[in-house]
Amino acid sequence: MSDHDILSDAEREALSAVMLEPDLPPQRVLIVDDDKDARELLSEILALDGIRCMTAASGETALKMLAEKPLIGLVITDLRMGNVDGLDLIRQVRESVRAAMPIIIVSGDADVKDAIAAMHLSVVDFLLKPIDTVKLLALVKHELGIEL
């Protein structure tokens, strides 16, 4: 170590080790829809681009998964579901420790009132079915910090 070095040899080695560590595990997308075919289709579309997904058939299941699985970095949800619909799910996420979670709504049955309510809940976007897959992929990659 010379007189002008700021770091000791041990600190330099530790810094090098940290810099060489593999990246953090990739974040996953949670797809929430009570329609099994819609969930699987979205999951397959994202998987083709190397985006890892998890799925939930209800808002209740999604809330449990969000509480238990810290690797979820984004939620894509339908609006019309059973007891906990998409807007209820978003409200509960916004009131939780995951309040900053980016959320995209995908719906085939929405009105202006729903869209306004969703925007007040700070969703990333509101996409109508049939989905523009290019736009969806761009949104997901942007929110997860994946290079476009």
Side-chain angles (χ1 to χ4, degrees), residues 27-88:
Q27 293 183 356
R28 288 166 174 65
V29 174
L30 176 58
I31 299 168
V32 188
D33 198 320
D34 56 356
D35 179 338
K36 182 178 187 247
D37 292 337
R39 281 194 315 271
E40 289 177 357
L41 179 62
L42 279 178
S43 183
E44 288 173 18
I45 289 168
L46 296 176
L48 288 172
D49 256 58
I51 298 166
R52 296 181 180 196
C53 299
M54 304 168 124
T55 62
S58 68
E60 295 94 338
T61 302
L63 289 167
K64 286 178 192 162
M65 291 175 76
L66 285 165
E68 298 168 1
K69 305 201 182 286
L71 286 180
I72 297 171
L74 170 73
V75 173
I76 298 174
T77 184
D78 188 21
L79 276 185
R80 306 280 183 252
M81 295 184 289
N83 296 335
V84 177
D85 70 12
L87 289 175
D88 291 335

Side-chain angles (χ1 to χ4, degrees), residues 29 31 38-39 41-47 49 51 53 74-77 103-107 124-144 148:
V29 174
I31 299 168
R39 281 194 315 271
L41 179 62
L42 279 178
S43 183
E44 288 173 18
I45 289 168
L46 296 176
D49 256 58
I51 298 166
C53 299
L74 170 73
V75 173
I76 298 174
T77 184
I103 299 173
I104 298 170
I105 294 177
V106 171
S107 182
V124 172
D125 209 335
F126 193 114
L127 303 176
L128 292 175
K129 294 177 184 175
I131 302 296
D132 176 343
T133 56
V134 172
K135 182 173 183 177
L136 177 65
L137 278 168
L139 284 168
V140 169
K141 287 180 176 183
H142 175 76
E143 292 302 320
L144 294 179
L148 298 175

